[in-house]
Amino acid sequence: MSDTILIIDYGSQYTQLIARKIREQNIYCVVKPYNKIHSLFTNTSNIAGIILSGGPNSVKEKNSPKFNKKILNLDIPILGICYGMQLLCKEFKGKIGQSKSREYGHAVVSIKNNSNILKGVIKNTQVWMSHGDHIEKSPKGFIVTSVSKNNVISSIENKSKKIFGLQFHPEVYHTIKGKIILSNFVNKICKIKKKFKIENFLLNKIAHFKKYLHGKKIICGLSGGVDSTVTSYLLHKAVGKNLFCIFVDHGLLRFNESIEVESIFKRKFGKNFIKVDASNIFLKRLKKIKDPEKKRKIIGKTFIEVFEKEAKRIKNVDYLAQGTLYPDIIESIPFFGGPTAKIKSHHNVGGLPKQMNLKIIEPLKELFKDEVRELGKKLNINSELLDRHPFPGPGLAIRIPGEIDKQKIDILQRVDNEFLKYLKESKIYNEIWQAFSVLLPVKSVGVMGDERTYSYAVSLRAVTSVDGMTADFYMFSKNDLTEISKRIISKVEEVNRVLYDFTSKPPGTIEWE
Ligand code: XMP
């Protein structure tokens, strides 16, 4: 049964958002770079519809990404967004005009014709535009279904071929009826009946791994964070005693975390839970390293080394399981060589050495964070573990801009502990997606008890988000900020100044490095 939407990525920064919005409709989708879709044409029976993303190029440029005609043979609905629509227009012999300036930001479009994809959208509706080129003449067989200011064509469709084009971005929050438009496409036009259900995902994965990993030994990097915890519980259901969970204490964990994680997972996995204290080697290799990408690469590489060493001790290990999520993959490598811009190397993806003795399995790599939490509930994982804020693989190393040493880690751990303790006590913790502290490489002058101080400044970060791909800073009350700052400064004597980071993502990222 066709139950999947294929999103072909032409390099737009919004491609992940398309995937996200389709998932919100409980429909399964996959994103593939435009230059890596050839293999898909061997079996297309599960594809119910195709979305062509936007992209930074102009279809008029000589070397711009091209339309793959093969998708027309599949005879399934196609939606082109922005660059995707211009590709369709070019393919069907319409005319593209190049504008001197980009149309960027909010715009109002007026619906002109009875349209299947715009059903349920009011006549004049606010959308989000981000394009240079535009359609001057709609292609043969297509009708214009809406226009923006100055009669610029903003959507077209070919009813009989079920091909649609939108100049604006329905996946972006600011397109007020974007959700309805995407729902019309996947539900009414592609007619997907089989919904993506997390219980089915779980059952399929367990059945798959039972068969695929039968008789094999697997080690799992367990940090105690949501992703690796869910990964380990899922694999444990499939392979039981053949799963060995390795917890690497890299010396960059939160306050008391090492002890807490050990006590929780020893209970679950018994002898198959192994803690490795590798803090000395990590700190030695990170000494005097300032560059964020270098830090990430060093940590990634050292992690794998420690795992491989441990795996040898267990003997005959074939696989390394990791809690990699979908956004990690999208942001880390330009989609397996695809066109999306690299933002940072997440240690569990981009930092892996090319030569590895273990094969990698990533059971969660198709999921977003909120879906992983849902999966965790189905696995009966205790909510205290599931509701923990995400913690990055490189840990506090990327929360101490510049050089790292033991003393700085110790200071940051104590600051962070005060911050998180306050959030939990005042019941704000669960309103926030992720909260943490950053130790700045800056000292400033203060005054305490009539004495001059010259101590570190820290910055607090708290964001709301659904999946970490976009985020808003959390708006604390003055009272909360006053109390948090007071506690930190009174409990951590090395710090005399507390700042609050009110940057959203984008333009910032959540972590500082
Ligand atoms: P950024 O800083 O990219 O972070 O906005 C988005 C989310 O990803 C987490 N993060 C990581 N997780 N390994 C991980 O497992 C990493 O290297 C890594 N870097 C960032 C970050 O904490 C946030 O939740």
Side-chain angles (χ1 to χ4, degrees):
M1 189 197 283
S2 310
D3 59 358
T4 303
I5 294 287
L6 167 65
I7 300 165
I8 302 182
D9 184 16
Y10 288 94
S12 163
Q13 289 297 335
Y14 300 137
T15 303
Q16 302 95 301
L17 273 183
I18 306 175
R20 178 68 243 173
K21 295 286 165 184
I22 302 290
R23 287 293 182 82
E24 277 171 18
Q25 316 260 347
N26 292 325
I27 283 169
Y28 191 69
C29 60
V30 289
V31 180
K32 295 281 171 195
Y34 74 93
N35 50 355
K36 298 272 154 88
I37 54 172
H38 300 283
S39 59
L40 297 173
F41 295 110
T42 47
N43 179 10
T44 52
S45 60
N46 63 333
I47 300 175
I50 293 180
I51 298 180
L52 314 177
S53 84
N57 299 82
S58 160
V59 292
K60 300 192 100 167
E61 289 163 15
K62 202 167 149 232
N63 294 323
S64 57
K66 299 284 175 293
F67 181 76
N68 189 323
K69 285 180 197 295
K70 277 193 185 162
I71 65 172
L72 295 175
N73 301 337
L74 303 180
D75 201 22
I76 51 177
I78 301 172
L79 166 62
I81 297 174
C82 198
Y83 184 81
M85 152 155 144
Q86 286 147 19
L87 278 176
L88 288 169
C89 180
K90 191 173 168 206
E91 178 63 26
F92 287 94
K93 312 273 180 284
K95 195 168 166 212
I96 309 280
Q98 245 168 342
S99 322
K100 282 202 188 81
S101 59
R102 282 179 79 79
E103 186 182 10
Y104 184 79
H106 297 280
V108 172
V109 302
S110 310
I111 297 177
K112 285 279 164 227
N113 259 308
N114 186 12
S115 153
N116 286 346
I117 201 166
L118 300 177
K119 248 191 198 121
V121 179
I122 50 167
K123 193 168 174 2
N124 293 307
T125 186
Q126 186 193 300
V127 299
W128 182 259
M129 292 281 191
S130 173
H131 64 106
D133 295 351
H134 61 271
I135 295 186
E136 269 178 13
K137 195 168 141 259
S138 128
K140 240 195 176 153
F142 283 72
I143 55 164
V144 174
T145 50
S146 73
V147 292
S148 63
K149 221 170 56 186
N150 303 330
N151 265 340
V152 175
I153 296 173
S154 48
S155 60
I156 53 173
E157 73 188 49
N158 181 322
K159 278 198 187 348
S160 59
K161 287 194 159 64
K162 295 195 182 145
I163 300 180
F164 303 81
L166 301 173
Q167 183 63 82
F168 54 89
H169 290 268
E171 70 277 21
V172 172
Y173 168 79
H174 306 284
T175 296
I176 295 191
K177 298 292 178 188
K179 211 172 168 172
I180 295 184
I181 298 171
L182 288 172
S183 164
N184 284 342
F185 181 68
V186 294
N187 293 308
K188 299 211 170 106
I189 295 164
C190 300
K191 296 197 168 53
I192 296 189
K193 294 272 175 324
K194 194 172 150 208
K195 297 283 181 170
F196 175 71
K197 283 209 183 109
I198 209 78
E199 339 21 348
N200 296 345
F201 177 90
L202 177 61
L203 293 175
N204 287 342
K205 282 279 166 197
I206 294 174
H208 166 75
F209 285 128
K210 255 190 185 157
K211 207 167 138 197
Y212 177 68
L213 298 174
H214 183 74
K216 304 274 183 227
K217 281 188 186 168
I218 299 109
I219 53 171
C220 174
L222 181 57
S223 69
V226 181
D227 311 338
S228 60
T229 301
V230 174
T231 303
S232 65
Y233 273 61
L234 190 156
L235 286 173
H236 190 247
K237 280 231 178 275
V239 303
K241 287 266 178 269
N242 276 343
L243 175 74
F244 297 83
C245 293
I246 299 176
F247 168 52
V248 176
D249 180 354
H250 53 16
L252 299 157
L253 298 169
R254 287 169 286 199
F255 188 78
N256 257 347
E257 193 166 13
S258 181
I259 297 164
E260 284 167 16
V261 169
E262 186 175 12
S263 97
I264 294 169
F265 291 96
K266 258 265 142 347
R267 260 179 277 146
K268 166 90 185 160
F269 298 116
K271 276 199 198 128
N272 282 20
F273 174 85
I274 301 149
K275 174 171 155 176
V276 189
D277 183 355
S279 50
N280 284 340
I281 172 118
F282 276 92
L283 289 188
K284 203 168 133 207
R285 290 186 183 178
L286 287 167
K287 206 170 167 183
K288 299 221 178 321
I289 304 292
K290 285 188 186 153
D291 179 69
E293 277 298 293
K294 271 197 190 140
K295 285 184 186 174
R296 283 175 171 274
K297 292 268 152 88
I298 291 172
I299 293 168
K301 190 167 174 286
T302 311
F303 241 103
I304 298 296
E305 274 178 37
V306 173
F307 273 125
E308 290 199 324
K309 207 165 142 202
E310 215 44 52
K312 276 196 193 122
R313 246 196 274 277
I314 297 167
K315 289 203 177 73
N316 304 324
V317 173
D318 303 283
Y319 289 92
L320 167 64
Q322 296 202 107
T324 311
L325 305 191
Y326 206 26
D328 297 340
I329 296 173
I330 301 175
E331 287 189 345
S332 286
I333 27 180
F335 236 96
F336 305 117
T340 311
K342 172 170 168 166
I343 297 168
K344 48 178 97 158
S345 302
H346 285 195
H347 91 261
N348 47 2
V349 187
L352 290 181
K354 288 207 170 60
Q355 285 284 314
M356 270 210 339
N357 300 329
L358 296 170
K359 285 176 245 161
I360 298 282
I361 40 171
E362 296 168 318
L364 312 179
K365 72 172 180 216
E366 292 115 317
L367 300 183
F368 290 92
K369 192 90 183 181
D370 48 327
E371 293 171 328
V372 173
R373 287 206 164 101
E374 228 189 295
L375 189 67
K377 279 191 206 142
K378 301 281 174 225
L379 283 159
N380 295 324
I381 301 174
N382 161 334
S383 65
E384 235 174 81
L385 278 177
L386 286 183
D387 294 340
R388 286 178 85 186
H389 290 175
F391 188 63
L396 301 185
I398 55 172
R399 296 177 179 174
I400 302 176
E403 289 178 29
I404 304 167
D405 60 39
K406 244 190 171 138
Q407 192 214 7
K408 285 184 180 170
I409 296 169
D410 173 61
I411 297 170
L412 183 58
Q413 281 176 333
R414 284 180 286 127
V415 169
D416 201 52
N417 183 44
E418 291 306 323
F419 183 29
L420 297 186
K421 235 174 32 188
Y422 179 83
L423 298 182
K424 285 178 187 164
E425 274 168 32
S426 51
K427 312 253 178 288
I428 312 177
Y429 186 83
N430 284 348
E431 280 176 37
I432 294 171
W433 196 76
Q434 191 172 8
F436 57 88
S437 322
V438 176
L439 183 72
L440 302 179
V442 170
K443 284 190 173 179
S444 76
V445 174
V447 54
M448 276 170 88
D450 295 335
E451 297 247 356
R452 178 188 191 269
T453 59
Y454 184 59
S455 318
Y456 279 111
V458 291
S459 177
L460 306 179
R461 184 95 168 113
V463 295
T464 55
S465 176
V466 184
D467 47 36
M469 288 166 56
T470 56
D472 275 333
F473 66 87
Y474 182 79
M475 191 58 114
F476 282 110
S477 68
K478 179 166 188 243
N479 189 37
D480 286 328
L481 287 175
T482 312
E483 187 56 29
I484 294 164
S485 156
K486 210 165 76 188
R487 282 196 191 190
I488 291 173
I489 292 177
S490 66
K491 295 271 170 58
V492 186
E493 62 174 343
E494 295 90 338
V495 170
N496 68 353
R497 197 172 291 266
V498 178
L499 312 172
Y500 186 56
D501 176 356
F502 53 95
T503 319
S504 293
K505 173 184 179 176
T509 54
I510 296 177
E511 303 292 344
W512 273 45
E513 290 196 331

